[in-house]
Amino acid sequence: MGRQTEPQSLSSGYFAFAINRFPVDFFGTFWYKVPEEFLGINHSIYTMSLLVVGSIAYDTIETPMMRRENVLGGSAPFFAYAAGFFSPVRMVGVVGADWLPEYTEMLRKQGIDTAGIEIMPDGKTFRWSGKYHNDMNDRDTLETQLNVLGTFQPKLPEDFRRSQFVFLGNGAPSTGLAALDQIQGADLIVADTMNLWINTTRTDLDALLKRIDGLIINDSEAKMLTDEINTVTAARKVLTMGPKFVIVKKGEHGAMFVSEYETYTVPAFPMENVVDPTGAGDSFAGGLMGYIASQQGNLDGETIKNALVYGTIVASFGIEGFSFDRYKEINRTNIEERREAFREMTAF
Amino acid sequence: MGRQTEPQSLSSGYFAFAINRFPVDFFGTFWYKVPEEFLGINHSIYTMSLLVVGSIAYDTIETPMMRRENVLGGSAPFFAYAAGFFSPVRMVGVVGADWLPEYTEMLRKQGIDTAGIEIMPDGKTFRWSGKYHNDMNDRDTLETQLNVLGTFQPKLPEDFRRSQFVFLGNGAPSTGLAALDQIQGADLIVADTMNLWINTTRTDLDALLKRIDGLIINDSEAKMLTDEINTVTAARKVLTMGPKFVIVKKGEHGAMFVSEYETYTVPAFPMENVVDPTGAGDSFAGGLMGYIASQQGNLDGETIKNALVYGTIVASFGIEGFSFDRYKEINRTNIEERREAFREMTAF
């Protein structure tokens, strides 16, 4: 679908056929691109490649039950770890001298290529502090220290620039644009955004919307972005701003996929034991994109619905513990078991 | 399931086997009951029977788009009309001298036995007036005139007293209790309630909860009733108060069924064209109970999930128009078509 929004990728996309529903001239584009191969550009032709560019954070989190200081957070780690259950992932982000090598190791064990984590020896890692209300659905941001994130200029390693699937985690739209300037021939580009960027950097955000295939956004923020009061109407209006599809996250109420001709909806997995919802949206996006990547980017209805479900299921595990605590205990089998339980709860 | 909560119905329930998962001694109870038949009690042995006791109202409704005065509303008509798409319905309620015979006619055309509509020649029909906010999810009650509902003592026609399926629409718990005192051998008794009764008539409500099989309740009211902040936890706690199952209505976010060993969840049908949400909860309950009645009260997982879905689909039509406007335009085929579209949106 990247082909439709970025004309130049028509000629540079190797496996563009994977994302489209209609057969395209695979051999035509293939032979056209061969010379670049000989020039030494290193990109994997035969494996899917999923790239995430986003924030890396040390979070301090208060819930009605507990408080934890300086635990790993940020859109890129949550996305990458969740996607890693389904597909190899390439991660780009920036950290400070206080970065703990054990986190790099944890991400690598999950199949994440950490070559894109830039360590700024003179800076400190981005810090976010938040407090959850009683029902865990609302939270207040207590403090934000941008630190090295304040001057983040994403630098994609050479072999990351040819990634089939790209996710731009919630962050300044200018960061997303800077990343896209380094990316060629992606088949599917999806971005997340939030109220801060809608309110403060609307021009950049509008430019970004024109260069992505899909937007993942909270329901309240979809309404804010479009000045609409109905969620479905808001999603449809986003489609006029650039993206070919919108995925609306509704927290404990599930998620919805809307494109011009398709609507899919999935409830949340019913949860009692919500320990820490931080990163749930990024984990949802990670499970969703990781699954799509594992299906070679096939975007038929079945794949999209399963992607929504896998995103839902992976996120449901994540919020059962602080930071990555729960993720470290589970594997793909646990995910499949809960997916099956979810199917039993919903299939009619 | 009524058999479990009301021991006396063990012997008086004709088709108790229909609601249970295990075969019971049909012939034993059958022969035991024969003498009553000879005494002239008129109840249909071979057809399912669904009874609703609830309010009948003239509503005045303001939405951001429009205002309509004195249109038909109330829990009993919405429930009965919605259930009527699936099953014959018996309706009990009270109206005043201002009752329009055309409404009786409209209900009869939908297969509703209106013998239980009591007309008080000296009174006026209950009136409710409400105003919807921009997003149609919140509303303010502007005025309530109880009129004949204030002294409502439900009187069930003789042949209504042996109904297999009973729904007590939102109303004073004492009304529900008075109705139950007249009902024998019901297989399934379900009630709705709301914040007003939780706050003002808790003793009656607690007594009612002990005499019903299922409670249908909004998510916010489930939390209020149980002093819990998590929807699933709240639903589980309701199970300790009497009901064997709880159905939590979440408005535009769908619904959830919770019993001791089962959880089912269904998203809402994605809607853009919400004209008037009044009665959506009663219509949801009507579609749900009407479908269960049409399945002879079989309460296996498939039936429950389909009941949630039919409730959802019927209610989605109702809110597309004021009062019963949209219902009068549709039939079972429209419902089946939308159900199939919903399946396409959700099945994975």
Side-chain angles (χ1 to χ4, degrees):
Chain A
M1 297 179 78
R3 302 176 75 233
Q4 293 161 305
T5 45
E6 291 212 87
Q8 76 272 24
S9 71
L10 263 171
S11 55
S12 60
Y14 263 96
F15 283 158
F17 71 93
I19 212 78
N20 279 278
R21 293 175 180 230
F22 310 104
V24 295
D25 53 341
F26 170 63
F27 290 107
T29 51
F30 182 79
W31 294 115
Y32 174 78
K33 298 311 296 174
V34 165
E36 277 192 16
E37 277 300 288
F38 283 92
L39 291 171
I41 294 171
N42 172 22
H43 49 123
S44 49
I45 303 185
Y46 297 108
T47 62
M48 55 236 168
S49 46
L50 171 57
L51 169 72
V52 55
V53 180
S55 60
I56 304 173
Y58 284 151
D59 289 341
T60 294
I61 294 157
E62 272 183 60
T63 73
M65 313 293 183
M66 241 192 284
R67 186 172 191 277
R68 289 279 292 274
E69 281 187 40
N70 295 323
V71 292
L72 181 62
S75 61
F78 277 118
F79 178 94
Y81 205 96
F85 287 112
F86 304 93
S87 160
V89 189
R90 299 159 166 180
M91 179 173 145
V92 171
V94 65
V95 296
D98 52 0
W99 178 247
L100 297 178
E102 67 190 68
Y103 288 142
T104 304
E105 190 51 31
M106 183 192 96
L107 295 167
R108 280 194 185 143
K109 276 194 188 146
Q110 182 72 345
I112 298 159
D113 186 338
T114 58
I117 301 181
E118 185 184 4
I119 302 177
M120 306 281 274
D122 299 329
K124 281 176 72 183
T125 300
F126 166 55
R127 274 170 170 71
W128 177 83
S129 166
K131 180 177 178 168
Y132 286 90
H133 296 245
N134 261 337
D135 71 355
M136 303 296 264
N137 293 317
D138 289 317
R139 71 181 182 199
D140 291 327
T141 291
L142 299 179
E143 198 188 2
T144 302
Q145 296 178 20
L146 279 181
N147 299 333
V148 296
L149 194 66
T151 55
F152 179 39
Q153 294 289 337
K155 291 174 207 68
L156 275 55
E158 199 60 40
D159 59 333
F160 281 23
R161 299 182 178 205
R162 292 266 183 176
S163 295
Q164 271 181 277
F165 309 102
V166 176
F167 182 72
L168 305 172
N170 178 22
S174 58
T175 305
L177 289 166
L180 288 187
D181 286 342
Q182 302 168 53
I183 292 167
Q184 285 189 308
D187 287 328
L188 184 70
I189 300 168
V190 177
D192 192 356
T193 195
M194 67 182 289
N195 49 5
L196 178 64
W197 316 116
I198 296 170
N199 291 329
T200 63
T201 60
R202 185 59 188 260
T203 309
D204 283 351
L205 180 58
D206 285 340
L208 183 67
L209 288 174
K210 291 191 171 53
R211 292 179 64 181
I212 63 177
D213 302 301
L215 181 69
I216 299 188
I217 189 167
N218 283 343
D219 50 354
S220 61
E221 288 158 352
K223 292 172 184 173
M224 180 189 290
L225 177 63
T226 57
D227 266 326
E228 291 289 342
I229 50 177
N230 174 287
T231 306
V232 184
T233 307
R236 295 212 175 284
K237 196 160 169 187
V238 173
L239 300 180
T240 68
M241 299 175 172
K244 294 284 177 292
F245 64 85
V246 184
I247 294 170
V248 181
K249 296 178 287 187
K250 303 193 291 174
E252 64 157 343
H253 299 303
M256 193 187 298
F257 172 103
V258 177
S259 69
E260 189 176 355
Y261 300 112
E262 293 166 300
T263 302
Y264 302 112
T265 181
V266 60
F269 185 79
M271 298 280 298
E272 288 195 81
N273 176 35
V274 179
V275 174
D276 172 17
T278 312
D282 303 307
S283 299
F284 168 80
L288 185 142
M289 291 282 287
Y291 178 75
I292 290 175
S294 78
Q295 303 300 300
Q296 283 83 44
N298 171 21
L299 277 191
D300 64 17
E302 290 308 307
T303 306
I304 294 167
K305 285 185 279 185
N306 272 297
L308 291 171
V309 167
Y310 278 112
T312 298
I313 296 300
V314 173
S316 78
F317 279 109
I319 65 181
E320 289 177 344
F322 272 101
S323 188
F324 290 77
D325 290 359
R326 186 73 177 110
Y327 282 141
K328 285 186 266 182
E329 298 169 351
I330 64 158
N331 56 37
R332 180 70 185 261
T333 305
N334 302 112
I335 293 169
E336 293 300 334
E337 284 168 1
R338 186 171 287 186
R339 174 189 180 279
E340 186 52 29
F342 192 49
R343 214 188 54 74
E344 294 273 329
M345 288 180 189
T346 57
F348 63 90
Chain B
M1 297 179 78
R3 302 176 76 236
Q4 292 159 309
T5 46
E6 290 212 85
Q8 76 274 22
S9 70
L10 262 170
S11 55
S12 59
Y14 262 96
F15 284 159
F17 72 93
I19 210 78
N20 280 277
R21 291 170 182 235
F22 310 105
V24 294
D25 52 342
F26 170 64
F27 289 106
T29 51
F30 181 78
W31 293 115
Y32 175 77
K33 296 311 296 174
V34 165
E36 277 192 18
E37 278 299 290
F38 283 93
L39 292 171
I41 295 173
N42 173 21
H43 50 124
S44 49
I45 302 186
Y46 297 107
T47 62
M48 56 235 166
S49 46
L50 171 57
L51 169 72
V52 56
V53 180
S55 60
I56 303 173
Y58 284 151
D59 289 341
T60 294
I61 293 157
E62 273 183 59
T63 72
M65 313 293 184
M66 240 191 286
R67 184 170 192 279
R68 288 278 292 275
E69 280 186 41
N70 295 325
V71 292
L72 181 62
S75 60
F78 278 118
F79 177 95
Y81 205 97
F85 288 113
F86 304 93
S87 161
V89 189
R90 299 159 166 181
M91 178 172 146
V92 171
V94 65
V95 296
D98 52 359
W99 179 247
L100 298 178
E102 67 189 66
Y103 288 142
T104 303
E105 190 52 31
M106 182 191 96
L107 295 166
R108 281 196 184 141
K109 276 194 188 147
Q110 182 71 347
I112 298 160
D113 185 337
T114 58
I117 300 181
E118 185 184 3
I119 302 177
M120 306 281 275
D122 299 328
K124 282 177 71 185
T125 299
F126 166 55
R127 275 170 169 73
W128 177 84
S129 165
K131 179 176 180 168
Y132 286 90
H133 296 247
N134 261 336
D135 71 356
M136 304 294 266
N137 293 316
D138 290 316
R139 70 180 183 200
D140 291 328
T141 291
L142 299 179
E143 197 188 3
T144 302
Q145 295 178 21
L146 279 181
N147 300 333
V148 295
L149 194 66
T151 54
F152 179 40
Q153 295 289 339
K155 290 174 207 65
L156 275 56
E158 199 60 38
D159 58 333
F160 281 22
R161 299 182 177 206
R162 293 264 181 178
S163 295
Q164 271 181 279
F165 308 101
V166 175
F167 182 73
L168 305 172
N170 179 22
S174 58
T175 306
L177 289 166
L180 287 187
D181 287 342
Q182 302 168 54
I183 292 167
Q184 284 188 311
D187 287 329
L188 184 70
I189 300 168
V190 176
D192 192 356
T193 195
M194 68 181 290
N195 49 6
L196 177 64
W197 316 117
I198 296 170
N199 291 329
T200 63
T201 59
R202 185 60 188 259
T203 308
D204 282 351
L205 180 58
D206 285 340
L208 183 66
L209 288 175
K210 291 190 173 52
R211 293 179 63 180
I212 62 176
D213 301 302
L215 181 69
I216 299 188
I217 188 167
N218 283 342
D219 51 353
S220 61
E221 288 158 353
K223 292 172 184 174
M224 180 189 289
L225 178 63
T226 57
D227 266 326
E228 291 289 341
I229 49 178
N230 174 287
T231 306
V232 185
T233 308
R236 294 211 176 285
K237 197 162 168 185
V238 173
L239 299 181
T240 68
M241 299 175 171
K244 295 283 177 292
F245 65 85
V246 184
I247 294 169
V248 181
K249 297 178 287 187
K250 302 193 293 173
E252 64 158 344
H253 300 303
M256 193 186 299
F257 173 103
V258 177
S259 69
E260 188 175 357
Y261 300 112
E262 295 166 300
T263 302
Y264 302 112
T265 181
V266 59
F269 185 79
M271 299 279 298
E272 287 194 82
N273 176 35
V274 179
V275 174
D276 173 16
T278 311
D282 302 306
S283 299
F284 168 80
L288 184 142
M289 291 281 288
Y291 179 75
I292 289 175
S294 77
Q295 302 300 301
Q296 282 80 46
N298 171 21
L299 276 191
D300 64 16
E302 290 308 306
T303 306
I304 294 168
K305 285 185 279 184
N306 272 299
L308 291 171
V309 167
Y310 278 112
T312 299
I313 296 301
V314 172
S316 79
F317 280 109
I319 64 181
E320 288 177 344
F322 272 100
S323 188
F324 291 76
D325 289 359
R326 185 72 177 111
Y327 282 140
K328 285 185 265 181
E329 298 169 352
I330 65 159
N331 56 36
R332 181 70 184 262
T333 305
N334 302 111
I335 292 169
E336 293 299 334
E337 283 167 2
R338 186 171 286 186
R339 175 189 180 278
E340 185 53 28
F342 193 48
R343 216 188 54 73
E344 295 271 329
M345 289 180 188
T346 58
F348 62 90

